[in-house]
Amino acid sequence: MNDNRKTPAEIEEIKKELLEEKSFEKLSSFYSLFSDQTRLTLIALLARQELCVNDIAAILSMSQSRVSHQLAILRKHDIVTYYRKGKQVLYTLTDNHIKDIFSTGLEHISEQDEDIYQDKKKKGY
């Protein structure tokens, strides 16, 4: 029987290559933002176009305060940003990394789920 276990020295080398625990904590916190359905829906909307709170609330049939609360969470973690255009405040994703993370996750789950694949294809994602 071939034993593929690492030697203690190899284990120590692998440990040295891991990120620090604090880095994993911050990364875990970042990914947790994607675990809320409302926030994920906001990310999906803003990946396609910039929108104001009123429009988002109308699209999602939600109260403006609920939308604003979730946008504030995403803003705090640098997922979305906003700018003023006249009297309107428009929200957008901070950068394409966020859109890529959303798209990669959607692509991954659609490979395993035909319904999601068809939904994604029908909606042009």
Side-chain angles (χ1 to χ4, degrees):
M1 182 173 172
N2 188 3
D3 189 357
N4 290 325
R5 289 183 294 171
K6 303 292 183 197
T7 66
E10 290 171 322
I11 295 290
E12 289 307 310
E13 283 303 310
I14 292 169
K15 282 181 173 182
K16 288 178 188 176
E17 293 173 3
L18 279 174
L19 294 171
E20 298 293 325
E21 186 174 334
K22 190 174 189 176
S23 296
F24 281 114
E25 286 174 17
K26 288 182 179 183
L27 189 58
S28 174
S29 176
F30 170 77
Y31 278 117
S32 74
L33 296 168
F34 292 81
S35 68
D36 178 271
Q37 185 175 340
T38 301
R39 289 193 294 265
L40 198 55
T41 304
L42 291 171
I43 290 167
L45 282 172
L46 297 175
R48 292 183 157 230
Q49 61 189 305
E50 54 194 31
L51 293 163
C52 68
V53 172
N54 292 341
D55 290 341
I56 295 169
I59 292 164
L60 301 180
S61 300
M62 278 184 198
S63 69
Q64 290 178 12
S65 64
R66 183 171 174 204
V67 171
S68 292
H69 174 72
Q70 293 302 324
L71 286 169
I73 292 168
L74 293 173
R75 243 186 7 256
K76 178 182 175 189
H77 294 280
D78 204 29
I79 303 294
V80 301
T81 188
Y82 67 94
Y83 68 95
R84 292 191 180 278
K85 188 174 183 181
K87 292 183 178 185
Q88 219 174 20
V89 176
L90 295 171
Y91 285 84
T92 185
L93 296 181
T94 304
D95 58 43
N96 282 333
H97 294 117
I98 305 305
K99 185 176 181 177
D100 293 344
I101 291 166
F102 173 79
S103 296
T104 299
L106 183 59
E107 185 67 28
H108 178 73
I109 63 167
S110 72
E111 289 174 356
Q112 305 297 319
D113 188 310
E114 182 64 23
D115 291 336
I116 294 172
Y117 175 79
Q118 291 302 325
D119 187 34
K120 178 181 84 126
K121 186 176 171 183
K122 186 169 91 174
K123 304 291 173 54
Y125 280 91

